[in-house]
Amino acid sequence: MDGQETIAAIATPPGAGAIGIIRISGPGTRQIAKAMLGDLPPPRQASLRSFRGETGDVLDQGVALWFPSPASFTGEDLLELQGHGGPRLLDLVLARVLGAGARSARPGEFTERAFLNGKLDLAQAEAIADLIQAATATQARLASRSLQGIFSRHVRALVEGLTHLRVLIEAGLDFPDEELDARPVEPAAFDELIAAAEGLLSRTHQGELIRDGLMVVIAGPPNAGKSSLLNALVGSDAAIVTEIPGTTRDLLRAEIQLDGLPIRLVDTAGLRAATDPIEQEGVRRARAEIAQADHVILLTDDTQSPEAEPSIPRDIAEALPTGAPITLLRNKIDRSGRAAGVRERADGVTEVACSVLTGAGMDAFRQYLKAVAGYQGPDSGEFSARRRHVDALQRALEQLKAARDASRIAAAPELIAEELRQAQASLGEITGEVASDELLGRIFSEFCIGK
Ligand code: GDP
């Protein structure tokens, strides 16, 4: 790692503001501080200083904060210059810092160094980005809890339990002739860990749902009421509703929150065989959206589909490779006379009967959307999490189960030990003990510069 370089960046957002902050971190910071401030300010105390240019001219006056290594955010020597928040002025001060030996920091590079120097783990570093990008109060609250290490502590507790088991099993490997080998690890010991992993997975899933929400695609033939449904869910006129079939030629998107669950809605063009090239393009885009959906709502006009159980068209099912749920929404029951409600058919398809126009059955539909996602409400979240955390935990859980199954059939202890080792590695991906450069690059590039 290029920890030898000194990095600098403006840490406050672009534009004019009351205060502008420049951060400098790395081994050259001490020299830069002396050159610009005349001397090193007392550590960790706010000191009023002149920030001087190369020729000794005063560029600005403000507060200097000096954090010598290792007691700093990055773990390196770190200086914060808090001056006036004029964009030209800040450029000038930054140029002076760069001229004195620093280089411009990449996005997230301060946090990356904090991670590499063991100041925080990877889940905590991600929580910093989540805290900055939080769009809702719940997201901010949960990101703050992850930053405090609440999620990481749960992961570590699981790793501890795993390590304990590994020690028992691997001791048997190392000293096969000793007593230890005669006492194989009880499958119950695995069950306890598996239950803990399942509990954590469910909580992590809630954290991920609150952070990332769901993508719900509304599909169906023209005039079924797709735009009307989008409008009803949004509660405003985001989509243009007309009576001419095929009007919704492009995709309409809207973001809503159902009880704290963020939902990205996409209203697609109908998937009918279109002849008009513009409409054909709409159909192509609709397919592309469906492919990424977490849930597809297929609308039918209940006055137009008299058959008892309309089937899910093959082109929609095929456009959805992930196995995400497809729900059939029978709309316009105010005219067809069907009773509102949700029912599961014998063939496994779930049907919701409602009227987008009158609102009949719409509350049940909203509840149903949350239930299908496994969302337990805004208070269910304990910490923020990401898809990659859920994936890693899922993998760890499968590996733990494989270890238990191996122990049940009295498989070779080497096999059990190997499964446990892999489960531990999966958990290590969450906190960053096991992390590729590619993963780190992806995570930190999402940050803003100066963070
Ligand atoms: P889209 O082409 O699927 O987007 O359908 P629209 O949302 O444009 O709706 C087509 C027509 O059906 C419009 O005239 C809507 O007012 C009407 N419509 C939508 N939902 C209902 C409903 O629940 N009941 C009745 N009676 N009409 C509806």
Side-chain angles (χ1 to χ4, degrees), residues 223-228 241-243 331-332 334 355-357:
N223 242 17
K226 296 184 295 298
S227 308
S228 306
V241 183
T242 66
E243 290 205 50
N331 188 27
K332 310 195 188 182
D334 55 308
S355 167
V356 174
L357 197 69

Side-chain angles (χ1 to χ4, degrees), residues 27 44-45 50 59 98 140 189 241 252-253 284 296 299 346 350 355-356 385 434:
R44 282 174 293 285
Q45 279 181 34
S50 294
L59 301 175
L98 299 181
V241 183
L252 280 167
R253 295 170 197 278
R284 195 194 61 77
V296 175
L299 258 72
T350 303
S355 167
V356 174
V434 184

Side-chain angles (χ1 to χ4, degrees), residues 75-134:
E76 305 172 336
D77 280 349
L78 189 143
L79 179 71
E80 236 181 68
L81 299 176
Q82 307 191 349
H84 296 91
R88 293 291 82 76
L89 172 65
L90 282 167
D91 286 346
L92 212 63
V93 179
L94 180 63
R96 162 71 171 128
V97 173
L98 299 181
R103 71 155 167 84
S104 286
R106 292 189 299 268
E109 199 171 2
F110 291 91
T111 311
E112 186 175 9
R113 288 189 176 191
F115 164 68
L116 293 170
N117 289 324
K119 289 285 170 179
L120 32 76
D121 67 33
L122 199 53
Q124 288 176 302
E126 289 170 304
I128 290 183
D130 293 347
L131 195 55
I132 292 173
Q133 284 156 16

Side-chain angles (χ1 to χ4, degrees), residues 102 117 155 172 216 237 347 356 420:
N117 289 324
V155 175
V216 174
D237 278 347
D347 64 357
V356 174
L420 289 179

Side-chain angles (χ1 to χ4, degrees), residues 49-394:
R49 286 288 196 280
S50 294
F51 309 158
R52 292 184 186 276
E54 213 174 322
T55 55
D57 50 322
V58 175
L59 301 175
D60 193 12
Q61 235 191 4
V63 170
L65 286 166
W66 163 238
F67 302 94
S69 168
S72 72
F73 173 68
T74 54
E76 305 172 336
D77 280 349
L78 189 143
L79 179 71
E80 236 181 68
L81 299 176
Q82 307 191 349
H84 296 91
R88 293 291 82 76
L89 172 65
L90 282 167
D91 286 346
L92 212 63
V93 179
L94 180 63
R96 162 71 171 128
V97 173
L98 299 181
R103 71 155 167 84
S104 286
R106 292 189 299 268
E109 199 171 2
F110 291 91
T111 311
E112 186 175 9
R113 288 189 176 191
F115 164 68
L116 293 170
N117 289 324
K119 289 285 170 179
L120 32 76
D121 67 33
L122 199 53
Q124 288 176 302
E126 289 170 304
I128 290 183
D130 293 347
L131 195 55
I132 292 173
Q133 284 156 16
T136 69
T138 308
Q139 287 173 351
R141 190 171 53 81
L142 298 192
S144 169
R145 291 174 61 85
S146 282
L147 176 55
Q148 288 164 49
I150 289 171
F151 177 37
S152 305
R153 274 202 286 282
H154 287 306
V155 175
R156 283 184 214 288
L158 212 51
V159 169
E160 229 166 83
L162 242 165
T163 311
H164 182 68
L165 259 187
R166 279 187 65 186
V167 167
L168 288 181
I169 290 167
E170 288 177 16
L173 287 180
D174 293 340
F175 309 101
D177 299 331
E178 311 265 321
E179 270 293 281
L180 279 165
D181 200 27
R183 290 187 288 118
V185 176
E186 293 289 320
F190 291 94
D191 291 339
E192 213 173 285
L193 261 184
I194 287 169
E198 279 169 342
L200 185 56
L201 177 61
S202 148
R203 273 132 73 212
T204 306
H205 180 55
Q206 291 304 305
E208 190 242 347
L209 269 180
I210 292 172
R211 177 187 182 267
D212 295 331
L214 294 179
M215 173 170 166
V216 174
V217 171
I218 303 171
N223 242 17
K226 296 184 295 298
S227 308
S228 306
L229 175 64
L230 183 102
N231 281 348
L233 290 172
V234 172
S236 70
D237 278 347
I240 312 150
V241 183
T242 66
E243 290 205 50
I244 311 152
T247 324
T248 313
R249 283 181 168 161
D250 209 340
L251 305 168
L252 280 167
R253 295 170 197 278
E255 290 192 17
I256 61 163
Q257 281 211 29
L258 270 189
D259 198 16
L261 173 67
I263 298 187
R264 296 183 302 284
L265 289 168
V266 184
D267 169 11
T268 63
L271 282 188
R272 63 174 189 169
T275 42
D276 171 354
I278 300 177
E279 209 174 305
Q280 278 173 348
E281 174 59 17
V283 170
R284 195 194 61 77
R285 290 189 195 174
R287 284 226 170 80
E289 293 292 328
I290 289 172
Q292 296 176 34
D294 295 306
H295 193 163
V296 175
I297 307 298
L298 179 67
L299 258 72
T300 62
D301 180 340
D302 204 37
T303 64
Q304 304 284 312
S305 43
E307 76 260 48
E309 301 206 329
S311 54
I312 304 291
R314 226 167 22 136
D315 54 356
I316 295 212
E318 280 169 2
L320 195 68
T322 54
I326 306 175
T327 298
L328 194 80
L329 192 145
R330 289 178 180 259
N331 188 27
K332 310 195 188 182
I333 57 164
D334 55 308
R335 283 223 225 125
S336 70
R338 191 184 298 275
V342 180
R343 82 180 175 104
E344 186 165 343
R345 298 192 328 209
D347 64 357
V349 174
T350 303
E351 276 190 14
V352 180
C354 68
S355 167
V356 174
L357 197 69
T358 66
M362 283 296 284
D363 274 342
F365 174 58
R366 288 188 179 91
Q367 296 300 331
Y368 168 73
L369 271 184
K370 289 188 282 180
V372 172
Y375 181 58
Q376 294 160 5
D379 299 328
S380 64
E382 200 190 326
F383 46 78
S384 74
R386 300 179 172 205
R387 184 74 236 167
R388 73 164 200 97
H389 301 148
V390 174
D391 290 345
L393 261 167
Q394 240 151 13

